[in-house]
Amino acid sequence: MRTIILSILATLVAGQCWANDKEELQKLLHYFIDNAASSAEAHQRFWADDLVYTSSAGKRFGKAKIMQGMETAGDEPITVNYAAEDIDIRLLGDTAVVAFKLVANDSVKGRKNYYLNTGTFVKRQGDWFVIAWQATQIPREGSQ
């Protein structure tokens, strides 16, 4: 009987930890999306130093190139805002896979682009970081 009670308690504690991790990942994703266009700090916090990023254009690079891009962005006006839809978070211990649809709304061009994004996160010293990212642009209707 004692083993059963301890097993139930362990399951409840693990379930609570998973709920906390999912909430933490969702907050981190939204923070990043809300700030990525203008904040090098958001990129520094989000990406792991050993990141492998595959862009929707089929280019592969790491965090250093992303950070370099933030330095050279200059004072260009930001005309695109981003949002995440259909977020799916799957926890595997200290690893998580986060998949979602990214909506890029360009206010100057008056159009939206959509991307399917999948990120692999690892928890290091209590914080989640992205170690792998894949972005795929969803073709516009009629462009195929």
Side-chain angles (χ1 to χ4, degrees):
M1 184 66 159
R2 181 177 180 193
T3 304
I4 293 171
I5 292 172
L6 289 175
S7 177
I8 291 170
L9 286 174
T11 302
L12 290 172
V13 169
Q16 182 61 40
C17 289
W18 283 3
N20 290 344
D21 282 338
K22 279 189 171 187
E23 184 178 325
E24 188 177 336
L25 283 161
Q26 187 136 350
K27 284 180 182 178
L28 179 60
L29 179 64
H30 284 295
Y31 166 78
F32 178 73
I33 289 172
D34 291 346
N35 296 285
S38 62
S39 171
E41 180 182 313
H43 286 273
Q44 185 66 36
R45 167 62 191 92
F46 195 68
W47 308 115
D49 290 338
D50 53 346
L51 169 72
V52 175
Y53 187 106
T54 305
S55 74
S56 63
K59 305 219 186 271
R60 185 166 284 162
F61 46 86
K63 182 177 180 175
K65 183 160 178 111
I66 292 171
M67 297 311 296
Q68 180 184 15
M70 291 303 297
E71 291 173 10
T72 60
D75 294 326
E76 297 175 23
I78 298 169
T79 62
V80 180
N81 61 43
Y82 300 94
E85 296 179 352
D86 305 325
I87 300 169
D88 180 6
I89 299 173
R90 300 183 186 199
L91 291 168
L92 307 153
D94 283 345
T95 304
V97 175
V98 177
F100 64 99
K101 181 171 29 171
L102 180 71
V103 180
N105 184 19
D106 189 324
S107 61
V108 171
K109 294 179 181 174
R111 71 175 185 218
K112 292 182 182 181
N113 290 313
Y114 299 90
Y115 302 84
L116 296 177
N117 286 275
T118 303
T120 303
F121 291 70
V122 293
K123 196 171 196 178
R124 294 179 173 163
Q125 299 177 350
D127 292 320
W128 290 100
F129 296 94
V130 178
I131 60 166
W133 195 265
Q134 173 75 47
T136 303
Q137 186 168 7
I138 301 171
R140 285 195 196 99
E141 290 184 29
S143 66
Q144 300 173 351

